[in-house]
Amino acid sequence: MTTHQDFLSPSNNHEIIDLSSEKSFEETNNQTSNKSIRKVTKIIGNSLRSRLLMTVLPTVLVPLGVASLVGFKIIQQKAQSEILSQLQQNLIRSQDEAETFIKDNFTLTDLVAANPLVIDELRSINNDPETQKLSLVPIETLEKSFNETKLLKSNPAINTYLQQLVKTGKIAEVFITNSDGFNVAYSNPTSDFVQRDESWWQTAEKEGISVDDPEYDDSAKAVVVALAEAIKDPNTGDVLGVIKTGVLADRLNERLTDNVSSNLRETEEIQIISSQAGIPLNTVNQQGSDSEVQTIIGGDNLLTFIKEIVSLNNSESTINSEEIKNLEQQYNLFDLTFKTLENSDNKQKTLLAEFKQDGKIFNLSTIPGVDWVAVASINQSEIAMAGQELLIVFAITAIILGGLSVGLIILLARNLSNPLTNLTNKAQQVASGDLNVQAELAGTFEIKTLANSFNDLVLKVKTLLNQQELATEEQREQRENIENAIITLVDEIEGAADGDLTVRASLDSLELSTVADLFNLIIENLKDIATEVKQSTNKVSHSLETNEHSIRKLAEQSIQDVEEIQKTLTSIEQMSQSIEEVTNNAAHAAQSSEEAYQEVQKGSNAMETTVTSILTLKNTVNDTAQKMKHLGESSQRISQVVAIIEEIALKTNLLAINASVEARRAGEQGQGFTVVAEQVGALAEQSSNATKEIGQIIAAIQRETQEVATQMETGTTQVVDASRLVETTQAYLTKASQKSQEINQLMQSISQATISQSETSQIVTNLMQKVSQSSQDKASSSNQIAEAIHQTTEVAKDLESKVDQFRVN
Amino acid sequence: MKNILIIDDIQSELTLLKNYLTKAGYTVVTATNGQEALEKISQKKPDVIVTDLMMPDMGGLDLCRKLKKQTDTVDIPIVACSAKNREVDKMWAFKQGVKAYVTKPCTQEDLVDVLQSVTA
C-alpha cells in the first residue's frame, strides 16, 4: 500500500546526505526521485486509467443497465396493457359491427316493409276473402296444395324487386308472407309455404322483429342469419304480413375483416357467437373473418358460460362477488370481472366480462337486441411476449450507449492519463537532472493546473539549486576565508608554542577575531605568569644561595643541641630515679608510723570507749539505785493503801451483816435485800483476800529491791575503781598517741617533700624529653628543610632553565 | 550631557558614529586606537566608551580588559560596536566585561537606545 507520503518525501528511509561523501547530493536526489517517479508511473499506468474505467464504467453502465431494464419493464407493461385495451377495443368494435350488421339488415327489411307496392299487395291479399278462407285450412293441406309454387299468388313485380335485392349481394334470400303466414313473394322458392308455425314468424308478428337462430347453410356454404320483421299498415298499424331475410354471416365477415382483422395480433381471435344456436357466426383473426368455422374457442364449457351470461344480462340482476367466485369455480375461470354498459338512447344494457382460461385472456360482450355475444381472446403467452422485441431494441440501445460510454470514458481516461503520462515523462526528465523542461498545458483544467504547478516547481527547484550553488560557493569562500584566517592565526601565534610570548594574533578576520582575542588573552596571561615565575625563581635562587650556608650551620647546630640535651636528659633521669627511691623509702616509713599511730589511736579510742561505758554504767547504777529507792517508797505507799482497802473490806463486811439483820427484820419485803447483803458480804471477803495477796506480793518486791540495792552498792564501788584505772591508762595512751602523731606528721612532711621532688623531677624529665623530642624533630626537620632547600634549588634551577625558553620582552 | 568616547580604527566609521551621537546631543571624543583611547581616558574620564573590537595592536577587548584592571576605570560602561554578529562573539565580549553590544551596521536609533539603556 503506497501512501501519498511516498510521493511527498523523496524516500521513505531518510538518508542523511553527507556533503563530504563522494556521492553528490544531485546523484542521491536523482536516485530517490527516480524511485518515486517509477512509483508514480506505475500508479498512473496501472491504475489511473484502469481505476477510472473501474470506477466510472460501473457508475455509467449500471444506471444505464438499470434504466434500460426499468424502461423495458415499463414499456413492456405499457405494451401489455395496450394489448389488453386493444383486445377490449377490438371486441367493442366487433360487437358494434355485429350490432350494425343487424341494424343494417333491419333497415333493408324496413325499406321493403315501407314499400307501398308491398303494402298495397298485402292489403289486397289480406282483404281477399279467398285468403281468409285459406287461413282455416290445415297447414299440411295447404303445403300440399301450394307445393309447386309455394306462393299464394305470384306478383312478378314484387318478386323481381326481391330478386334485385338479393342481387345486391347483401342477403341470401328474402320472402314476404301475409298476415296468415302464407308466402306472398320471394326472391327464390322457400321450402315451406305456410310460415306461421315457425317461431321467428310468431315472434315477428308479436314483437315486430325477430332474429332467428343462425344456421349453417350447406348451399350457401355459410352461416345464415334469419331476420324477420312485421309489415305494418302505416295508417292503422295493423300487421299486414311478415318479411324475412336470410342474411349471410359472410356479409359481417367483410366488415369484420375490413375494420377489425387488421388490428388483431397473432393469437388474437374474435368470435361472434349465437348463444341459442351454440355456433359461431364469425371467427375473426389476423388473416380475416371466416364464417365456416364451426368450433367455439373455449369449447362447450365456454358456451355454457356464455348462455349463463346472456341469461344474466336479460334477468337484469346485478352480479355480486360471491356469484363471481361461484362462476369462476364452476367454469374453471380466473380473474373474472364484470362491467355493465347502458346505452343512453335505447336503455339497452351490455354486459362486459373479462376472465382468463386455459392460458388465454377472454373479453366477452353481449350484443344488444340479440342473444349473440362477441368473444375476444388472446394467448397470455403473446401478452407475455409483448415488448420482447423491445427487449432486443433496449438491449441494443443499452449496448450501443454502453459502448459509447465505454469509448467515451476510455477516451476521457486517455485524455486524463495521457497528459499525466506526459507530465510523468517530464518529471522523469527533471529527476534525471534536466531542469530545462516545460510541461505542456494540456488535458483537463486540473491537469493543466498540475502541469502549471509542475512547471512552477521545476522553476523553484532550478532557482533553489542555483541558490544552493551560490550558497555552497559562498560557504566554500567562507571556508577558505576561515582556513586562511586559521593559517594566519597559526602563523601569528605558533611562536608561542616555542615560548615566544611576544607574539600577537591580529584581529583582522571577522570569523576568527574572537578566537584571536582569546589566544591573545591566553598568551598575555601566560606572559604575565612566565614573567612572575621568572622573577620568583630568580628570587628563590638568590635567597637559596644566600641562605643555604646558614641553614646548613643551623642544622648542624641543632643536631649538636640534640646530643647535649640527650646527655642532660640521661643525668636528669638518673637523679629522678634516686629521688624516686628516697620517696619510696619515706613513703614506707610514713606508712609504718602511720600504722603505729593508727594502732595507738585505736587503743586510745578503745580506752575512751571503756571510760565512757564505765561512766555510763556508773550513771546507770546511780539511776537504778534512785529508782530502787523510789520503788521502796512506792511499795510502802501501796502497803498503806492496802491497809485502807482492808479496813474498807472489814467495814463492808460489817455493813453486810447489819444489812442482813435489817433484812430479816423487814421480813418478806427484805428478802431481796438479804441476797444483796450476802453478795456484798461475799465481795468484802473477796476484797480482803485480794488485799492479803497484794500484801504478800509487795512484801516480796520489797525483799528483792533490798537485795538489788545491796548488790548495786557493791557494783558501784567496783566501777569507781575500774574507772580510776582506765583514766591512768588513757593518760599514757594519749601521750603515746601525741608522740606517734608527731612522728607521723614528720614522716608525712618528708614523704610529701619527696613526692613533690619526684614530681618536679618527673616534670623536668618530661620537659627534657619534650625538648629532646622537639630538638630531634628540629634536627630531622632541619635535615628535611636542608633536603627540601636542596630540591627547591634543583627545581628553581630547572624552572629557570624552562622559563628561559619564554621570551617576554 | 554625557561624554562618550568612540574608538574605531576606520575613520569613516568613526565619523559616522560621531555624527550619530553628536546629533543625539552627546559630547563625543574619538580615538583611532587603544593607546590613544587610554590617553584620552586619563585626560578625562568618559561616561561611556563605544569601541570597535577589531583593531590592530590593541583590540577593543584588550582595551576593555585593561580598563577593568584599573580601579579608576573599572566602572566605565563599555559598549562594543562591531561587525561581528555571531553569538559566540557577543558571549566572549560580555565575558570580557563589555556591558552592551551593537552590531554594525547600526542605525542612530540602535546606538542611542543601547547608550540610554547603559547609562540608565
Side-chain angles (χ1 to χ4, degrees), chain A residues 125 143 146 149-154 175-178 180-186 188-195 200-201 242:
Chain A
I125 284 174
E143 287 290 350
F146 287 94
T149 57
K150 308 275 184 187
L151 279 174
L152 183 68
K153 195 169 103 185
S154 178
F175 58 93
I176 300 168
T177 72
N178 73 338
D180 298 313
F182 304 140
N183 285 353
V184 175
Y186 53 55
N188 38 358
T190 59
S191 47
D192 293 334
F193 164 67
V194 183
Q195 307 291 355
W200 59 265
W201 191 92
V242 173

PDB file of all heavy atoms in Angstrom, chain A residues 125 143 146 149-154 175-178 180-186 188-195 200-201 242:
ATOM      1  N   ILE A 125    -104.321  -8.747 -50.587  1.00  0.00           N
ATOM      2  CA  ILE A 125    -104.310 -10.203 -50.301  1.00  0.00           C
ATOM      3  C   ILE A 125    -105.040 -10.481 -48.990  1.00  0.00           C
ATOM      4  O   ILE A 125    -105.891 -11.378 -48.934  1.00  0.00           O
ATOM      5  CB  ILE A 125    -102.858 -10.730 -50.243  1.00  0.00           C
ATOM      6  CG1 ILE A 125    -102.311 -10.857 -51.648  1.00  0.00           C
ATOM      7  CG2 ILE A 125    -102.814 -12.123 -49.551  1.00  0.00           C
ATOM      8  CD1 ILE A 125    -100.855 -11.219 -51.747  1.00  0.00           C
ATOM      9  N   GLU A 143     -99.796 -26.868 -47.606  1.00  0.00           N
ATOM     10  CA  GLU A 143     -98.440 -27.131 -48.151  1.00  0.00           C
ATOM     11  C   GLU A 143     -98.541 -27.970 -49.417  1.00  0.00           C
ATOM     12  O   GLU A 143     -97.837 -27.727 -50.392  1.00  0.00           O
ATOM     13  CB  GLU A 143     -97.565 -27.853 -47.098  1.00  0.00           C
ATOM     14  CG  GLU A 143     -97.112 -26.973 -45.946  1.00  0.00           C
ATOM     15  CD  GLU A 143     -96.073 -25.905 -46.334  1.00  0.00           C
ATOM     16  OE1 GLU A 143     -95.551 -25.957 -47.474  1.00  0.00           O
ATOM     17  OE2 GLU A 143     -95.804 -24.995 -45.493  1.00  0.00           O
ATOM     18  N   PHE A 146    -100.050 -25.939 -52.268  1.00  0.00           N
ATOM     19  CA  PHE A 146     -99.202 -24.887 -52.850  1.00  0.00           C
ATOM     20  C   PHE A 146     -97.774 -25.359 -53.052  1.00  0.00           C
ATOM     21  O   PHE A 146     -96.839 -24.578 -53.133  1.00  0.00           O
ATOM     22  CB  PHE A 146     -99.176 -23.633 -51.897  1.00  0.00           C
ATOM     23  CG  PHE A 146    -100.472 -22.875 -51.929  1.00  0.00           C
ATOM     24  CD1 PHE A 146    -101.478 -23.129 -50.998  1.00  0.00           C
ATOM     25  CD2 PHE A 146    -100.684 -21.902 -52.914  1.00  0.00           C
ATOM     26  CE1 PHE A 146    -102.672 -22.439 -51.019  1.00  0.00           C
ATOM     27  CE2 PHE A 146    -101.900 -21.213 -52.915  1.00  0.00           C
ATOM     28  CZ  PHE A 146    -102.901 -21.463 -51.983  1.00  0.00           C
ATOM     29  N   THR A 149     -95.648 -23.870 -56.306  1.00  0.00           N
ATOM     30  CA  THR A 149     -95.108 -22.502 -56.384  1.00  0.00           C
ATOM     31  C   THR A 149     -94.602 -22.011 -55.032  1.00  0.00           C
ATOM     32  O   THR A 149     -93.710 -21.172 -54.963  1.00  0.00           O
ATOM     33  CB  THR A 149     -96.199 -21.513 -56.830  1.00  0.00           C
ATOM     34  OG1 THR A 149     -97.319 -21.593 -55.909  1.00  0.00           O
ATOM     35  CG2 THR A 149     -96.651 -21.830 -58.229  1.00  0.00           C
ATOM     36  N   LYS A 150     -95.232 -22.545 -54.021  1.00  0.00           N
ATOM     37  CA  LYS A 150     -95.001 -22.069 -52.647  1.00  0.00           C
ATOM     38  C   LYS A 150     -95.393 -20.608 -52.501  1.00  0.00           C
ATOM     39  O   LYS A 150     -94.979 -19.896 -51.606  1.00  0.00           O
ATOM     40  CB  LYS A 150     -93.483 -22.192 -52.226  1.00  0.00           C
ATOM     41  CG  LYS A 150     -92.911 -23.571 -52.447  1.00  0.00           C
ATOM     42  CD  LYS A 150     -93.180 -24.484 -51.287  1.00  0.00           C
ATOM     43  CE  LYS A 150     -92.468 -25.844 -51.551  1.00  0.00           C
ATOM     44  NZ  LYS A 150     -92.810 -26.843 -50.561  1.00  0.00           N
ATOM     45  N   LEU A 151     -96.223 -20.162 -53.363  1.00  0.00           N
ATOM     46  CA  LEU A 151     -96.697 -18.788 -53.311  1.00  0.00           C
ATOM     47  C   LEU A 151     -98.207 -18.798 -53.317  1.00  0.00           C
ATOM     48  O   LEU A 151     -98.821 -19.607 -53.989  1.00  0.00           O
ATOM     49  CB  LEU A 151     -96.217 -17.982 -54.529  1.00  0.00           C
ATOM     50  CG  LEU A 151     -94.785 -17.435 -54.478  1.00  0.00           C
ATOM     51  CD1 LEU A 151     -94.455 -16.809 -55.828  1.00  0.00           C
ATOM     52  CD2 LEU A 151     -94.650 -16.395 -53.376  1.00  0.00           C
ATOM     53  N   LEU A 152     -98.731 -17.855 -52.539  1.00  0.00           N
ATOM     54  CA  LEU A 152    -100.192 -17.737 -52.544  1.00  0.00           C
ATOM     55  C   LEU A 152    -100.640 -17.212 -53.898  1.00  0.00           C
ATOM     56  O   LEU A 152    -101.585 -17.729 -54.496  1.00  0.00           O
ATOM     57  CB  LEU A 152    -100.614 -16.768 -51.402  1.00  0.00           C
ATOM     58  CG  LEU A 152    -102.080 -16.562 -51.198  1.00  0.00           C
ATOM     59  CD1 LEU A 152    -102.732 -17.842 -50.683  1.00  0.00           C
ATOM     60  CD2 LEU A 152    -102.333 -15.441 -50.164  1.00  0.00           C
ATOM     61  N   LYS A 153     -99.939 -16.220 -54.320  1.00  0.00           N
ATOM     62  CA  LYS A 153    -100.330 -15.558 -55.572  1.00  0.00           C
ATOM     63  C   LYS A 153     -99.076 -14.874 -56.091  1.00  0.00           C
ATOM     64  O   LYS A 153     -98.399 -14.151 -55.350  1.00  0.00           O
ATOM     65  CB  LYS A 153    -101.392 -14.483 -55.258  1.00  0.00           C
ATOM     66  CG  LYS A 153    -102.129 -13.970 -56.462  1.00  0.00           C
ATOM     67  CD  LYS A 153    -103.317 -13.138 -55.999  1.00  0.00           C
ATOM     68  CE  LYS A 153    -103.025 -11.657 -56.135  1.00  0.00           C
ATOM     69  NZ  LYS A 153    -104.126 -10.851 -55.568  1.00  0.00           N
ATOM     70  N   SER A 154     -98.725 -15.204 -57.294  1.00  0.00           N
ATOM     71  CA  SER A 154     -97.468 -14.668 -57.793  1.00  0.00           C
ATOM     72  C   SER A 154     -97.623 -13.210 -58.228  1.00  0.00           C
ATOM     73  O   SER A 154     -98.484 -12.870 -58.988  1.00  0.00           O
ATOM     74  CB  SER A 154     -96.974 -15.524 -58.973  1.00  0.00           C
ATOM     75  OG  SER A 154     -95.805 -14.973 -59.462  1.00  0.00           O
ATOM     76  N   PHE A 175     -88.156 -13.226 -48.331  1.00  0.00           N
ATOM     77  CA  PHE A 175     -89.548 -13.537 -48.750  1.00  0.00           C
ATOM     78  C   PHE A 175     -90.517 -12.830 -47.826  1.00  0.00           C
ATOM     79  O   PHE A 175     -90.156 -12.425 -46.707  1.00  0.00           O
ATOM     80  CB  PHE A 175     -89.797 -15.046 -48.842  1.00  0.00           C
ATOM     81  CG  PHE A 175     -89.557 -15.828 -47.593  1.00  0.00           C
ATOM     82  CD1 PHE A 175     -90.628 -16.071 -46.730  1.00  0.00           C
ATOM     83  CD2 PHE A 175     -88.302 -16.337 -47.300  1.00  0.00           C
ATOM     84  CE1 PHE A 175     -90.398 -16.811 -45.602  1.00  0.00           C
ATOM     85  CE2 PHE A 175     -88.110 -17.078 -46.173  1.00  0.00           C
ATOM     86  CZ  PHE A 175     -89.170 -17.338 -45.288  1.00  0.00           C
ATOM     87  N   ILE A 176     -91.748 -12.702 -48.329  1.00  0.00           N
ATOM     88  CA  ILE A 176     -92.768 -11.955 -47.608  1.00  0.00           C
ATOM     89  C   ILE A 176     -93.979 -12.869 -47.434  1.00  0.00           C
ATOM     90  O   ILE A 176     -94.347 -13.582 -48.360  1.00  0.00           O
ATOM     91  CB  ILE A 176     -93.169 -10.675 -48.366  1.00  0.00           C
ATOM     92  CG1 ILE A 176     -91.929  -9.774 -48.533  1.00  0.00           C
ATOM     93  CG2 ILE A 176     -94.317  -9.928 -47.690  1.00  0.00           C
ATOM     94  CD1 ILE A 176     -92.168  -8.625 -49.512  1.00  0.00           C
ATOM     95  N   THR A 177     -94.541 -12.842 -46.223  1.00  0.00           N
ATOM     96  CA  THR A 177     -95.791 -13.574 -46.008  1.00  0.00           C
ATOM     97  C   THR A 177     -96.861 -12.558 -45.683  1.00  0.00           C
ATOM     98  O   THR A 177     -96.549 -11.429 -45.307  1.00  0.00           O
ATOM     99  CB  THR A 177     -95.688 -14.550 -44.809  1.00  0.00           C
ATOM    100  OG1 THR A 177     -95.660 -13.780 -43.601  1.00  0.00           O
ATOM    101  CG2 THR A 177     -94.510 -15.477 -44.918  1.00  0.00           C
ATOM    102  N   ASN A 178     -98.101 -13.004 -45.841  1.00  0.00           N
ATOM    103  CA  ASN A 178     -99.202 -12.125 -45.427  1.00  0.00           C
ATOM    104  C   ASN A 178     -99.426 -12.327 -43.954  1.00  0.00           C
ATOM    105  O   ASN A 178     -98.663 -13.049 -43.292  1.00  0.00           O
ATOM    106  CB  ASN A 178    -100.454 -12.417 -46.268  1.00  0.00           C
ATOM    107  CG  ASN A 178    -101.105 -13.735 -45.864  1.00  0.00           C
ATOM    108  OD1 ASN A 178    -100.446 -14.599 -45.279  1.00  0.00           O
ATOM    109  ND2 ASN A 178    -102.392 -13.875 -46.133  1.00  0.00           N
ATOM    110  N   ASP A 180    -101.371 -14.108 -42.519  1.00  0.00           N
ATOM    111  CA  ASP A 180    -101.675 -15.501 -42.127  1.00  0.00           C
ATOM    112  C   ASP A 180    -100.419 -16.380 -42.210  1.00  0.00           C
ATOM    113  O   ASP A 180    -100.481 -17.581 -41.939  1.00  0.00           O
ATOM    114  CB  ASP A 180    -102.761 -16.101 -43.052  1.00  0.00           C
ATOM    115  CG  ASP A 180    -104.078 -15.310 -42.916  1.00  0.00           C
ATOM    116  OD1 ASP A 180    -104.469 -15.050 -41.742  1.00  0.00           O
ATOM    117  OD2 ASP A 180    -104.641 -14.943 -43.952  1.00  0.00           O
ATOM    118  N   GLY A 181     -99.387 -15.807 -42.682  1.00  0.00           N
ATOM    119  CA  GLY A 181     -98.140 -16.585 -42.766  1.00  0.00           C
ATOM    120  C   GLY A 181     -97.989 -17.310 -44.084  1.00  0.00           C
ATOM    121  O   GLY A 181     -97.195 -18.236 -44.209  1.00  0.00           O
ATOM    122  N   PHE A 182     -98.765 -16.891 -45.066  1.00  0.00           N
ATOM    123  CA  PHE A 182     -98.614 -17.525 -46.384  1.00  0.00           C
ATOM    124  C   PHE A 182     -97.609 -16.725 -47.181  1.00  0.00           C
ATOM    125  O   PHE A 182     -97.610 -15.491 -47.126  1.00  0.00           O
ATOM    126  CB  PHE A 182     -99.955 -17.538 -47.138  1.00  0.00           C
ATOM    127  CG  PHE A 182    -101.082 -18.221 -46.378  1.00  0.00           C
ATOM    128  CD1 PHE A 182    -102.387 -17.704 -46.387  1.00  0.00           C
ATOM    129  CD2 PHE A 182    -100.830 -19.427 -45.682  1.00  0.00           C
ATOM    130  CE1 PHE A 182    -103.418 -18.337 -45.702  1.00  0.00           C
ATOM    131  CE2 PHE A 182    -101.883 -20.038 -45.007  1.00  0.00           C
ATOM    132  CZ  PHE A 182    -103.157 -19.518 -44.988  1.00  0.00           C
ATOM    133  N   ASN A 183     -96.788 -17.532 -47.926  1.00  0.00           N
ATOM    134  CA  ASN A 183     -95.831 -16.838 -48.787  1.00  0.00           C
ATOM    135  C   ASN A 183     -96.576 -15.985 -49.800  1.00  0.00           C
ATOM    136  O   ASN A 183     -97.499 -16.449 -50.460  1.00  0.00           O
ATOM    137  CB  ASN A 183     -94.936 -17.827 -49.537  1.00  0.00           C
ATOM    138  CG  ASN A 183     -93.888 -18.434 -48.604  1.00  0.00           C
ATOM    139  OD1 ASN A 183     -93.770 -18.009 -47.446  1.00  0.00           O
ATOM    140  ND2 ASN A 183     -93.166 -19.428 -49.107  1.00  0.00           N
ATOM    141  N   VAL A 184     -96.098 -14.736 -49.909  1.00  0.00           N
ATOM    142  CA  VAL A 184     -96.734 -13.829 -50.871  1.00  0.00           C
ATOM    143  C   VAL A 184     -95.737 -13.540 -52.008  1.00  0.00           C
ATOM    144  O   VAL A 184     -96.105 -13.505 -53.164  1.00  0.00           O
ATOM    145  CB  VAL A 184     -97.166 -12.527 -50.166  1.00  0.00           C
ATOM    146  CG1 VAL A 184     -97.710 -11.519 -51.191  1.00  0.00           C
ATOM    147  CG2 VAL A 184     -98.253 -12.818 -49.152  1.00  0.00           C
ATOM    148  N   ALA A 185     -94.518 -13.374 -51.594  1.00  0.00           N
ATOM    149  CA  ALA A 185     -93.485 -13.126 -52.615  1.00  0.00           C
ATOM    150  C   ALA A 185     -92.136 -13.612 -52.061  1.00  0.00           C
ATOM    151  O   ALA A 185     -91.929 -13.686 -50.860  1.00  0.00           O
ATOM    152  CB  ALA A 185     -93.393 -11.627 -52.902  1.00  0.00           C
ATOM    153  N   TYR A 186     -91.228 -13.957 -53.015  1.00  0.00           N
ATOM    154  CA  TYR A 186     -89.894 -14.368 -52.561  1.00  0.00           C
ATOM    155  C   TYR A 186     -88.861 -14.130 -53.653  1.00  0.00           C
ATOM    156  O   TYR A 186     -89.194 -14.014 -54.812  1.00  0.00           O
ATOM    157  CB  TYR A 186     -89.860 -15.815 -52.057  1.00  0.00           C
ATOM    158  CG  TYR A 186     -90.417 -16.873 -53.041  1.00  0.00           C
ATOM    159  CD1 TYR A 186     -89.925 -17.000 -54.363  1.00  0.00           C
ATOM    160  CD2 TYR A 186     -91.415 -17.775 -52.625  1.00  0.00           C
ATOM    161  CE1 TYR A 186     -90.445 -17.972 -55.180  1.00  0.00           C
ATOM    162  CE2 TYR A 186     -91.922 -18.755 -53.466  1.00  0.00           C
ATOM    163  CZ  TYR A 186     -91.419 -18.855 -54.744  1.00  0.00           C
ATOM    164  OH  TYR A 186     -91.905 -19.811 -55.556  1.00  0.00           O
ATOM    165  N   ASN A 188     -86.358 -16.311 -54.036  1.00  0.00           N
ATOM    166  CA  ASN A 188     -86.222 -17.677 -54.553  1.00  0.00           C
ATOM    167  C   ASN A 188     -87.094 -18.586 -53.690  1.00  0.00           C
ATOM    168  O   ASN A 188     -87.334 -18.273 -52.505  1.00  0.00           O
ATOM    169  CB  ASN A 188     -84.759 -18.145 -54.606  1.00  0.00           C
ATOM    170  CG  ASN A 188     -83.919 -17.672 -53.414  1.00  0.00           C
ATOM    171  OD1 ASN A 188     -84.430 -16.948 -52.557  1.00  0.00           O
ATOM    172  ND2 ASN A 188     -82.708 -18.138 -53.338  1.00  0.00           N
ATOM    173  N   PRO A 189     -87.557 -19.686 -54.271  1.00  0.00           N
ATOM    174  CA  PRO A 189     -88.561 -20.509 -53.585  1.00  0.00           C
ATOM    175  C   PRO A 189     -88.062 -20.981 -52.228  1.00  0.00           C
ATOM    176  O   PRO A 189     -86.878 -21.316 -52.081  1.00  0.00           O
ATOM    177  CB  PRO A 189     -88.728 -21.718 -54.521  1.00  0.00           C
ATOM    178  CG  PRO A 189     -88.239 -21.241 -55.859  1.00  0.00           C
ATOM    179  CD  PRO A 189     -87.208 -20.222 -55.619  1.00  0.00           C
ATOM    180  N   THR A 190     -89.001 -21.027 -51.286  1.00  0.00           N
ATOM    181  CA  THR A 190     -88.649 -21.488 -49.942  1.00  0.00           C
ATOM    182  C   THR A 190     -89.069 -22.948 -49.802  1.00  0.00           C
ATOM    183  O   THR A 190     -89.777 -23.466 -50.656  1.00  0.00           O
ATOM    184  CB  THR A 190     -89.367 -20.662 -48.864  1.00  0.00           C
ATOM    185  OG1 THR A 190     -90.786 -20.794 -49.089  1.00  0.00           O
ATOM    186  CG2 THR A 190     -88.968 -19.213 -48.908  1.00  0.00           C
ATOM    187  N   SER A 191     -88.706 -23.563 -48.714  1.00  0.00           N
ATOM    188  CA  SER A 191     -89.054 -24.979 -48.525  1.00  0.00           C
ATOM    189  C   SER A 191     -90.504 -25.115 -48.071  1.00  0.00           C
ATOM    190  O   SER A 191     -91.180 -26.065 -48.413  1.00  0.00           O
ATOM    191  CB  SER A 191     -88.110 -25.624 -47.480  1.00  0.00           C
ATOM    192  OG  SER A 191     -88.025 -24.772 -46.346  1.00  0.00           O
ATOM    193  N   ASP A 192     -91.005 -24.149 -47.270  1.00  0.00           N
ATOM    194  CA  ASP A 192     -92.402 -24.200 -46.825  1.00  0.00           C
ATOM    195  C   ASP A 192     -93.190 -23.106 -47.494  1.00  0.00           C
ATOM    196  O   ASP A 192     -92.649 -22.095 -47.937  1.00  0.00           O
ATOM    197  CB  ASP A 192     -92.468 -23.976 -45.292  1.00  0.00           C
ATOM    198  CG  ASP A 192     -91.836 -25.152 -44.541  1.00  0.00           C
ATOM    199  OD1 ASP A 192     -91.815 -26.261 -45.103  1.00  0.00           O
ATOM    200  OD2 ASP A 192     -91.333 -24.924 -43.392  1.00  0.00           O
ATOM    201  N   PHE A 193     -94.517 -23.322 -47.493  1.00  0.00           N
ATOM    202  CA  PHE A 193     -95.419 -22.271 -47.998  1.00  0.00           C
ATOM    203  C   PHE A 193     -95.970 -21.508 -46.811  1.00  0.00           C
ATOM    204  O   PHE A 193     -96.030 -20.290 -46.819  1.00  0.00           O
ATOM    205  CB  PHE A 193     -96.542 -22.906 -48.857  1.00  0.00           C
ATOM    206  CG  PHE A 193     -97.719 -21.975 -49.091  1.00  0.00           C
ATOM    207  CD1 PHE A 193     -97.550 -20.807 -49.872  1.00  0.00           C
ATOM    208  CD2 PHE A 193     -98.989 -22.240 -48.523  1.00  0.00           C
ATOM    209  CE1 PHE A 193     -98.641 -19.969 -50.046  1.00  0.00           C
ATOM    210  CE2 PHE A 193    -100.063 -21.384 -48.730  1.00  0.00           C
ATOM    211  CZ  PHE A 193     -99.881 -20.230 -49.488  1.00  0.00           C
ATOM    212  N   VAL A 194     -96.426 -22.296 -45.816  1.00  0.00           N
ATOM    213  CA  VAL A 194     -97.006 -21.643 -44.626  1.00  0.00           C
ATOM    214  C   VAL A 194     -95.861 -21.414 -43.595  1.00  0.00           C
ATOM    215  O   VAL A 194     -95.137 -22.350 -43.242  1.00  0.00           O
ATOM    216  CB  VAL A 194     -98.107 -22.530 -44.012  1.00  0.00           C
ATOM    217  CG1 VAL A 194     -98.753 -21.791 -42.825  1.00  0.00           C
ATOM    218  CG2 VAL A 194     -99.168 -22.865 -45.044  1.00  0.00           C
ATOM    219  N   GLN A 195     -95.806 -20.177 -43.112  1.00  0.00           N
ATOM    220  CA  GLN A 195     -94.695 -19.858 -42.185  1.00  0.00           C
ATOM    221  C   GLN A 195     -95.178 -19.577 -40.768  1.00  0.00           C
ATOM    222  O   GLN A 195     -94.389 -19.396 -39.852  1.00  0.00           O
ATOM    223  CB  GLN A 195     -93.921 -18.600 -42.684  1.00  0.00           C
ATOM    224  CG  GLN A 195     -93.445 -18.679 -44.095  1.00  0.00           C
ATOM    225  CD  GLN A 195     -92.305 -19.702 -44.321  1.00  0.00           C
ATOM    226  OE1 GLN A 195     -91.802 -20.290 -43.399  1.00  0.00           O
ATOM    227  NE2 GLN A 195     -92.047 -19.976 -45.632  1.00  0.00           N
ATOM    228  N   TRP A 200     -89.907 -17.841 -35.513  1.00  0.00           N
ATOM    229  CA  TRP A 200     -89.458 -16.481 -35.914  1.00  0.00           C
ATOM    230  C   TRP A 200     -90.626 -15.666 -36.409  1.00  0.00           C
ATOM    231  O   TRP A 200     -90.738 -14.473 -36.153  1.00  0.00           O
ATOM    232  CB  TRP A 200     -88.335 -16.550 -36.981  1.00  0.00           C
ATOM    233  CG  TRP A 200     -88.703 -17.271 -38.292  1.00  0.00           C
ATOM    234  CD1 TRP A 200     -88.470 -18.561 -38.603  1.00  0.00           C
ATOM    235  CD2 TRP A 200     -89.378 -16.693 -39.393  1.00  0.00           C
ATOM    236  NE1 TRP A 200     -88.932 -18.867 -39.851  1.00  0.00           N
ATOM    237  CE2 TRP A 200     -89.505 -17.705 -40.376  1.00  0.00           C
ATOM    238  CE3 TRP A 200     -89.895 -15.415 -39.682  1.00  0.00           C
ATOM    239  CZ2 TRP A 200     -90.136 -17.490 -41.606  1.00  0.00           C
ATOM    240  CZ3 TRP A 200     -90.503 -15.242 -40.947  1.00  0.00           C
ATOM    241  CH2 TRP A 200     -90.614 -16.266 -41.881  1.00  0.00           C
ATOM    242  N   TRP A 201     -91.573 -16.387 -37.119  1.00  0.00           N
ATOM    243  CA  TRP A 201     -92.741 -15.679 -37.696  1.00  0.00           C
ATOM    244  C   TRP A 201     -93.608 -15.176 -36.554  1.00  0.00           C
ATOM    245  O   TRP A 201     -94.024 -14.010 -36.528  1.00  0.00           O
ATOM    246  CB  TRP A 201     -93.517 -16.642 -38.612  1.00  0.00           C
ATOM    247  CG  TRP A 201     -94.564 -15.909 -39.449  1.00  0.00           C
ATOM    248  CD1 TRP A 201     -94.405 -15.400 -40.679  1.00  0.00           C
ATOM    249  CD2 TRP A 201     -95.895 -15.632 -39.027  1.00  0.00           C
ATOM    250  NE1 TRP A 201     -95.520 -14.790 -41.106  1.00  0.00           N
ATOM    251  CE2 TRP A 201     -96.486 -14.902 -40.086  1.00  0.00           C
ATOM    252  CE3 TRP A 201     -96.663 -15.884 -37.885  1.00  0.00           C
ATOM    253  CZ2 TRP A 201     -97.815 -14.455 -40.041  1.00  0.00           C
ATOM    254  CZ3 TRP A 201     -97.968 -15.425 -37.875  1.00  0.00           C
ATOM    255  CH2 TRP A 201     -98.517 -14.699 -38.930  1.00  0.00           C
ATOM    256  N   VAL A 242     -95.377 -10.467 -42.826  1.00  0.00           N
ATOM    257  CA  VAL A 242     -94.017 -10.555 -42.233  1.00  0.00           C
ATOM    258  C   VAL A 242     -92.993 -10.684 -43.376  1.00  0.00           C
ATOM    259  O   VAL A 242     -93.246 -11.431 -44.323  1.00  0.00           O
ATOM    260  CB  VAL A 242     -93.890 -11.766 -41.296  1.00  0.00           C
ATOM    261  CG1 VAL A 242     -92.451 -11.948 -40.841  1.00  0.00           C
ATOM    262  CG2 VAL A 242     -94.816 -11.630 -40.111  1.00  0.00           C
TER     263      VAL A 242
END
